[in-house]
Structure formats: structure tokens, C-alpha cells
Amino acid sequence: MHHFQYRDGLLHAEDVPLTRLAEEVGTPLYVYSAATLKRHYLAFDGAFPDLDHLVCYSVKANSNLAVLNLLASLGAGMDIVSGGELHRALSAGADPSRSVFSGVGKQRWEISMALEAGILMFNVESSQELDLLSDTALNLQQQAPVAIRVNPDVDPKTHPYISTGLRKNKFGLPMAAARDEYLRAADLPGLRIRGVSCHIGSQLTQVSPFVDALRRLLDLVDGLRGEGLTIDYLDLGGGLGIVYNQEEPPHPVEYGRVISQEVKDAGLTLILEPGRVIAGNAGILLTRVIYTKRGEVKDFVVVDGAMNDLIRPSLYSAYHEIRPVIETAGASSPKDVVGPICETGDFLAQDRPLTELRPGDLLAVMSAGAYCFVMASNYNSRGRPAEVLVCGDDYHVVRTRERTIDLIRGESVPAEFIARAIS
Ligand code: LLP
């Protein structure tokens, strides 16, 4: 359930008509609904009522400071994967002691930063990372809290680019190597073993792969405890899918019920790292039609939003529903909704049945709250869109639109150097 609904034929974000946002803030524009974020977070967190658990929102899904602050204020910890994300989380007022740090390529400066902040746990993804972590912690006269991220070799049955828990993926340590690495880690002076972790993929629409992975992790926990190690946390990662089109993902309550059943007697605190299921349907991209044109075999709607603003359709062939902001009656015909970028791959939707559109009309690209703004770029020297957070009948611009002048910030023309280079 989200709060982007038609009222008298006009699409609203909560109580704010999208036409008002387009006029006052301009397009393309990301619009997030505070009520939806809150609802999704509370539904997810509430899905594990009888289980000691911690929800670490996956910052990478939508890392706007206002979004992070809202979720942290509701009690969310954070799942971070870089020093930049840690900086965002801290700037947004998140509690580092409720946050975990994943990722295959953590560097010393990022590890130091996280140790100094006092994060709950590092999810370590390689043998070499264990050594670097121990060494960095010792330099700071600390012991780093550690889980090893294992690769349970479970097929999440999702898009290959967002599958992470298969043997062929770069993530985690192979299950077969886990026990020995744990025993080695237990002997490293800068480490303190706290848990086990995994993340098998994103946009999963079934519970069974989670259960398969979980059972493998619980076996590992048993084995490690048998070796005398203390394991307090099991981090199952994120990955629960959402409805973009016709998908039928399990409701968080169902997911929570099944997972809780498996973990309830294990004497563990369960950590979850949801991203998409919290933010995905809490945002839209609002875009305006610039031109319409009839090709020889297709009709095109050229809008002011493009693949640099929202790359999921181009990158993953992802489906995002397109809704006209003003509901129109009449026949619909298939159209490609495309951006101004000079690439054939620049489309937001292809062959989508839409009613007649005119320059100036507004469209909402739905389910754009997760992995959309965060993956935006400046390709074709386009400034990234503004972001607004709506609450009831009010809104706030939580990130201003990048201006043309922002696009050349940090660049310079070393005139004499270039003169020498071309002489
Ligand atoms: N934890 C870890 C370690 C992750 O790598 C991810 C996502 C999550 C949690 C959150 O997963 P979620 O609950 O959001 O599924 N750009 C892609 C999605 C990439 C996901 C990467 N990792 C997309 O647009 O679909």
C-alpha cells in the first residue's frame, strides 16, 4: 500500500496534488511519501513480533538524509556499504551501534571510520579483509565486531545482476571455507566474533530461497558454537521484493512469520537489511512531456526524465508503471516513453499502452523510491533531479535540483599545460 492515489482524476502524493509539485519545484522530480515510508518500516519491523531482531535499513536503496532521518527516528538501524554511506547515516542522526557494514571492497579508511563511529558489526567478505580489519582495529586499540558473510549458494530466482548468493557471485565467502575462516578469525587479536551473515539477492518474490539460506546459516552457527565460538547475531540481509507490475511477493508479515519460525529457538538476534521493501513504493519520478512524435513503427513520448535520472529500465529491463497525472479517458495505444539522452537505451517504458498525450502533460513513473535517485548520474551533462518529501498536505525539498553550474564543479582548464600538450 502506498499513498500515491487519484482524487477526482488528479494523482496526489498523500494530500498534495502532483501538479502543484511540478509547478512549484519543477520536473523531473523525485517525490517521496513520508506516510508510506513510515507504514512500510513499521509493517516490516512489526512482522517479527516474538523475535529479538534489528532492522537495518539498507542505505543504498535511498540515501537521502531526510529519508534516513525519518527511518532512524522510527528506530531503524542502518546497513551501509561505504564510508560515504556511513557519513550519510551519521549526518542523518542514525545510531551507529545499530548499524552494520557490508561490502566486498572495504578500504582501511572506511574501516577506521566505522570503528571510530562504533558500529555494531562488520560483515566481512574475504580472508584478506579479516586481516585488514584486525590490523586496523589494533591500530585503534580496539577489537572489531565481526560476522563473516557467507555465500550459501542459493538461487534467489531474480534478475542475474541482482543475484548475490550464488557460488559464481563475487559476494561472501564460500560456505565450505567458512568454518576454517571463523577459526582463523577467532585467533586474530583485533577481532571479536559476533555473528554470521548473508544476503542472497534483491527483489525476491518467494520466501523459500530465504529459508534455504537461513537453514544453511543455522547449521553453520551450530557448528561454530560447537567449536566454542560465541554467535549472537544472524544477519539474513535484505531482498524482499515489491510489486512493480504483476509480481506477487510475500507480504512482510508472511515473510516474518516463516523466518521467525526457523530462528525462534536459536538464541540469536536476527538482523534484517531491507531496502526496496521500505522505500521502493514510497517514491515516484514526476516527469513532463516535452514532445510527442510518431515514428514509422512506433509512437514516442519524449519526456524530461531520462536514463540518467532513472536507469532501471535501461539496465535491468525493469518495469515501472507509468501513470498520467491527470487521468484521461479515451483509447490507449502502445508508446515508448523516452528521455532526451542520445542513446537508444534511454527509455523509461516501451510499448506501454497510454492514452493520447500532449506536450506539457505530466507523467508519474511509479515505484521509484528505491534504486532510482541513488543510481542517477550526470550523463549528457544533465543535472540530477530535485527530491521532495511529502507529509500530509505539506512538502519539503529535501535535495535541490543540480544546476548547470554544479555540473562543472571540481573541473579546471590548465591552459598552459594544455598548450604544451598540443604543441
Ligand atoms: N544488504 C546487502 C548486503 C545488499 O547488497 C542489498 C542490496 C541489500 C541489503 C538490500 O536489498 P533489498 O532489500 O533492497 O533488496 N540496483 C538494483 C538493486 C541492487 C541491490 C543491491 N544490494 C535494482 O535497481 O534493482
Side-chain angles (χ1 to χ4, degrees):
M1 231 303 279
H2 57 72
H3 291 78
F4 297 94
Q5 306 295 343
Y6 287 104
R7 288 191 196 160
D8 297 327
L10 177 58
L11 194 58
H12 283 61
E14 302 194 17
D15 301 328
V16 179
L18 291 178
T19 41
R20 177 178 154 206
L21 293 177
E23 273 156 32
E24 294 179 5
V25 194
T27 55
L29 177 68
Y30 277 101
V31 182
Y32 308 128
S33 153
T36 311
L37 287 165
K38 178 178 166 193
R39 183 190 174 100
H40 288 173
Y41 174 75
L42 294 180
F44 192 90
D45 188 46
F48 304 86
D50 305 319
L51 203 68
D52 206 0
H53 71 281
L54 173 61
V55 176
C56 293
Y57 166 70
S58 193
V59 171
K60 65 175 81 63
N62 183 325
S63 56
N64 184 283
L65 291 186
V67 171
L68 299 184
N69 178 264
L70 183 152
L71 294 171
S73 305
L74 289 168
M78 300 288 151
D79 155 44
I80 55 160
V81 293
S82 68
E85 285 194 352
L86 175 58
H87 181 64
R88 280 184 175 278
L90 295 175
S91 306
D95 180 354
S97 73
R98 294 167 67 76
S99 302
V100 294
F101 192 173
S102 312
V104 291
K106 301 181 199 76
Q107 299 179 50
R108 193 187 280 274
W109 69 270
E110 295 172 300
I111 292 173
S112 297
M113 196 176 156
L115 285 167
E116 275 161 359
I119 63 155
L120 176 64
M121 196 164 83
F122 290 83
N123 290 335
V124 172
E125 305 218 18
S126 67
S127 197
Q128 290 174 5
E129 187 190 334
L130 282 173
D131 294 317
L132 180 63
L133 182 56
S134 175
D135 191 55
T136 312
L138 285 180
N139 282 341
L140 293 171
Q141 288 161 3
Q142 286 194 30
Q143 278 198 315
V146 169
I148 291 182
R149 175 171 172 183
V150 292
N151 187 328
D153 194 27
V154 167
D155 184 357
K157 304 187 180 77
T158 183
H159 190 284
Y161 285 10
I162 52 178
S163 295
T164 44
L166 283 169
R167 217 193 304 235
K168 63 181 178 190
N169 299 137
K170 71 177 175 181
F171 298 97
L173 276 166
M175 207 65 186
R179 184 183 153 279
D180 286 353
E181 283 299 334
Y182 264 103
L183 293 179
R184 197 174 75 77
D187 283 339
L188 288 174
L191 302 185
R192 176 159 169 244
I193 308 290
R194 299 302 314 269
V196 297
S197 77
C198 75
H199 167 79
I200 57 174
S202 197
Q203 184 54 14
L204 272 70
T205 52
Q206 295 170 27
V207 188
S208 54
F210 290 114
V211 173
D212 291 348
L214 184 52
R215 290 187 179 159
R216 290 179 197 187
L217 259 67
L218 287 170
D219 278 351
L220 176 64
V221 170
D222 275 350
L224 296 175
R225 284 177 169 165
E227 300 282 354
L229 300 189
T230 306
I231 306 291
D232 297 320
Y233 295 102
L234 188 154
D235 182 344
L236 190 58
L240 186 58
I242 62 167
V243 179
Y244 286 98
N245 186 13
Q246 308 283 339
E247 304 87 343
E248 291 181 352
H251 189 278
V253 169
E254 170 64 3
Y255 168 82
R257 192 185 59 75
V258 176
I259 302 292
S260 299
Q261 191 61 26
E262 300 284 327
V263 190
K264 67 179 185 335
D265 299 322
L268 290 162
T269 298
L270 180 70
I271 297 178
L272 300 138
E273 304 173 353
R276 191 187 316 261
V277 73
I278 307 287
N281 279 322
I284 61 147
L285 176 68
L286 185 60
T287 182
R288 202 182 274 285
V289 176
I290 309 174
Y291 305 113
T292 61
K293 65 174 177 179
R294 182 146 285 172
E296 260 182 66
V297 291
K298 273 186 177 238
D299 285 348
F300 295 99
V301 182
V302 184
V303 297
D304 60 6
M307 67 186 287
N308 75 298
D309 305 306
L310 198 166
I311 202 174
R312 302 192 72 257
S314 312
L315 189 58
Y316 312 116
S317 308
Y319 179 98
H320 285 261
E321 188 190 349
I322 308 272
R323 289 192 188 172
V325 166
I326 296 176
E327 245 177 340
T328 40
S332 51
S333 62
K335 299 177 178 51
D336 279 16
V337 179
V338 301
I341 284 183
C342 303
E343 295 249 7
T344 302
D346 176 27
F347 54 83
L348 299 174
Q350 288 183 303
D351 298 317
R352 199 60 69 76
L354 289 167
T355 51
E356 225 35 61
L357 289 162
R358 275 184 291 275
D361 286 351
L362 289 168
L363 296 174
V365 184
M366 305 303 290
S367 313
Y371 305 112
C372 289
F373 183 87
V374 285
M375 294 174 77
S377 76
N378 293 123
Y379 187 38
N380 274 210
S381 286
R382 290 167 48 88
R384 286 177 294 170
E387 296 172 286
V388 303
L389 182 65
V390 171
C391 181
D393 61 3
D394 204 2
Y395 72 89
H396 206 284
V397 177
V398 292
R399 182 183 170 111
T400 56
R401 186 175 303 286
E402 276 178 351
R403 297 155 305 164
T404 312
I405 192 150
D406 295 327
L407 296 172
I408 54 173
R409 197 182 333 123
E411 294 182 39
S412 58
V413 179
E416 282 180 23
F417 180 85
I418 289 174
R420 273 204 306 281
I422 63 172
S423 67

